[in-house]
Amino acid sequence: MRKILLPLALASTILLTSCGSGMKAADRADKNSFAPQADNAAEYKSDESYADSEAYETPEISSISYKQSEVKAINKQMLVYSCDMSIDVLEFDKAVDKIHDLINNYNGFIESENYSDGGNTSKWQYSENEKWKTLHATIRIPSADYDDFCKSAEDIGDMRRKSSSVQNLTTEYSDLKTTLSIYESKEKRYLDILAEIKNEQDAIEVENELTNIQIEIAKIKTRMNNIENDVAYSFINLTLNEVREYSEKPIIERTDTFGQRLKNTISKTWSSFLYFLENLLFIIIRVLPFLIVFGIIIFIIIKIIKFFSKRAAKRNKEKLQQRMQQAPPMMQGAPMPPNPQMIPPNVPPLAVPPVAPPQNNTENTDNNNKGHK
């Protein structure tokens, strides 16, 4: 029995080992066939071969360049220049004349203008010292003379503020041209269709579409014309302010040390205090007439109130005296009856002692005579 079992065990062992090796080979073949599809690699390596291999070479990675592409030049065909200027002048009327002369010399024009003499509509008369004239104007100058005009305007007075800007409308203008060509092609096609249509209803529908297209074409052309005008003539927003005086060079105060800072602070504080007292004095002078008028009115009202109060008191006194004179005279020697209103409550009335009746006069005379005897 042992002799039969031993060969069977050996045979089964050989079969199992052969099956296992076949399965491993099949698995390797499947992995090798799947590797190119999954990883797009040239050769698949297992973890064991990767651990054992000392000469493992990393795959080459293509270097990424972060360098930007070449910058294209900006198209400067449609540039709109604008400038805001604020100038203080001592002689306002002469400065306005100079501005008008500059505009004429550079072939420009005034698009809008706003002038004010500094007066208030609520006051009908002003002195010259109370007026501060100002002028706000939007000036259009040919773009070729934009810089020269700004430099000439700066010399009229003291430049207080200036800001410039440039708007590039080249892209918008190019898009408008493209859109315009599309609408014009569409307009031409609708005109051709309209010429061939004989049905009145279809003709009306085509005419409506053609009208909408022509309206869009008109809008595009209007915008393009505005851009062309803005490019041809630049904007200068000018403000002229009348002043009494100004310093050409700014005053620089040294604040390096503590003593200098203290000195500057005391000087500024004293100047501010004097300015406050000056304004307070002017306010009092302006308000004083109103205070006097109000004081007189209040004084008259108080006098009237006192007069009527004295008159009312006098009348009351006279009425009381008349009532006392009209009252009946009281008997002399008669006891005055007590006033019940003057007796306090919870106080019993006083007991009046009985009065003895008077004796007869004859008895008194008899007693006197007896005494004499």
Side-chain angles (χ1 to χ4, degrees):
M1 190 68 181
R2 291 179 179 177
K3 292 180 180 180
I4 296 171
L5 292 173
L6 185 60
L8 289 174
L10 292 173
S12 61
T13 303
I14 293 169
L15 289 173
L16 291 171
T17 55
S18 63
C19 290
S21 62
M23 291 177 66
K24 289 182 180 180
D27 292 340
R28 290 176 182 175
D30 293 338
K31 289 180 179 178
N32 291 331
S33 62
F34 181 72
Q37 297 177 0
D39 301 333
N40 293 326
E43 183 178 1
Y44 174 79
K45 293 185 180 181
S46 63
D47 295 338
E48 295 178 357
S49 63
Y50 174 75
D52 296 338
S53 176
E54 295 179 357
Y56 177 75
E57 296 179 357
T58 58
E60 295 182 357
I61 301 175
S62 59
S63 60
I64 301 175
S65 177
Y66 294 96
K67 185 178 180 181
Q68 295 180 354
S69 60
E70 295 181 359
V71 180
K72 295 181 180 180
I74 298 176
N75 194 344
K76 299 181 180 180
Q77 295 179 357
M78 295 292 171
L79 298 180
V80 180
Y81 296 90
S82 61
C83 178
D84 295 335
M85 304 173 65
S86 179
I87 302 174
D88 292 345
V89 295
L90 297 175
E91 297 177 354
F92 185 82
D93 296 333
K94 291 183 179 180
V96 173
D97 295 336
K98 290 181 181 179
I99 289 294
H100 288 125
D101 293 339
L102 286 175
I103 294 171
N104 294 328
N105 293 335
Y106 287 101
N107 298 322
F109 62 93
I110 297 176
E111 191 174 59
S112 63
E113 186 177 12
N114 185 11
Y115 168 78
S116 175
D117 65 347
N120 192 355
T121 56
S122 61
K123 191 174 180 180
W124 62 275
Q125 186 176 2
Y126 279 92
S127 63
E128 291 297 329
N129 294 329
E130 293 178 336
K131 292 183 179 180
W132 300 89
K133 300 178 183 178
T134 56
L135 175 68
H136 302 281
T138 301
I139 304 170
R140 303 295 297 273
I141 298 296
S143 298
D145 301 325
Y146 168 76
D147 293 332
D148 295 336
F149 179 85
C150 291
K151 292 179 181 178
S152 300
E154 292 177 4
D155 297 334
I156 293 177
D158 183 20
M159 175 67 67
R160 305 295 298 172
R161 179 179 57 83
K162 179 181 179 182
S163 61
S164 303
S165 62
V166 181
Q167 186 179 9
N168 193 345
L169 300 179
T170 305
T171 303
E172 182 183 358
Y173 190 81
S174 178
D175 294 340
L176 290 173
K177 287 179 66 176
T178 303
T179 306
L180 179 62
S181 62
I182 293 172
Y183 274 105
E184 287 177 347
S185 300
K186 196 173 182 180
E187 180 189 17
K188 184 179 179 181
R189 185 167 66 253
Y190 271 89
L191 288 173
D192 295 338
I193 294 172
L194 185 63
E196 296 176 358
I197 289 178
K198 297 180 180 180
N199 188 359
E200 185 177 358
Q201 185 66 29
D202 295 338
I204 291 173
E205 293 180 358
V206 173
E207 285 179 354
N208 291 333
E209 292 294 331
L210 184 60
T211 301
N212 294 330
I213 292 171
Q214 290 174 348
I215 291 173
E216 294 296 328
I217 290 173
K219 291 180 180 179
I220 294 171
K221 287 184 178 180
T222 301
R223 177 56 184 162
M224 292 177 69
N225 291 331
N226 290 334
I227 291 176
E228 291 173 357
N229 292 331
D230 292 343
V231 170
Y233 284 84
S234 300
F235 293 86
I236 291 95
N237 298 316
L238 179 65
T239 301
L240 292 179
N241 301 311
E242 183 184 17
V243 295
R244 297 293 180 262
E245 61 180 359
Y246 58 82
S247 58
E248 297 181 357
K249 295 181 180 180
I251 299 173
I252 300 174
E253 296 181 354
R254 296 181 58 85
T255 58
D256 298 334
T257 63
F258 174 78
Q260 291 172 350
R261 291 196 299 270
L262 181 61
K263 181 181 178 181
N264 294 332
T265 303
I266 294 173
S267 178
K268 290 180 180 179
T269 304
W270 180 249
S271 299
S272 301
F273 181 70
L274 292 178
Y275 182 73
F276 169 75
L277 292 179
E278 181 181 355
N279 292 331
L280 181 62
L281 178 61
F282 292 153
I283 292 172
I284 293 173
I285 292 172
R286 291 182 178 181
V287 177
L288 186 60
F290 301 97
L291 294 177
I292 293 173
V293 173
F294 290 151
I296 293 172
I297 293 172
I298 294 170
F299 178 77
I300 293 172
I301 292 172
I302 293 172
K303 286 293 184 181
I304 292 171
I305 292 171
K306 288 183 177 180
F307 173 76
F308 282 106
S309 62
K310 289 181 179 180
R311 188 173 180 182
K314 186 177 180 180
R315 286 180 180 178
N316 294 330
K317 188 176 180 180
E318 290 177 354
K319 289 180 180 180
L320 182 60
Q321 290 178 358
Q322 289 177 2
R323 289 178 183 177
M324 292 178 67
Q325 290 176 1
Q326 292 176 0
M330 300 186 68
M331 296 177 64
Q332 296 180 359
M336 184 178 290
N339 190 358
Q341 295 181 356
M342 299 299 293
I343 300 173
N346 300 326
V347 177
L350 296 175
V352 179
V355 179
Q359 295 179 0
N360 196 355
N361 293 327
T362 57
E363 294 179 355
N364 294 330
T365 56
D366 292 340
N367 293 327
N368 293 327
N369 295 323
K370 291 178 180 181
H372 287 293
K373 291 179 178 183

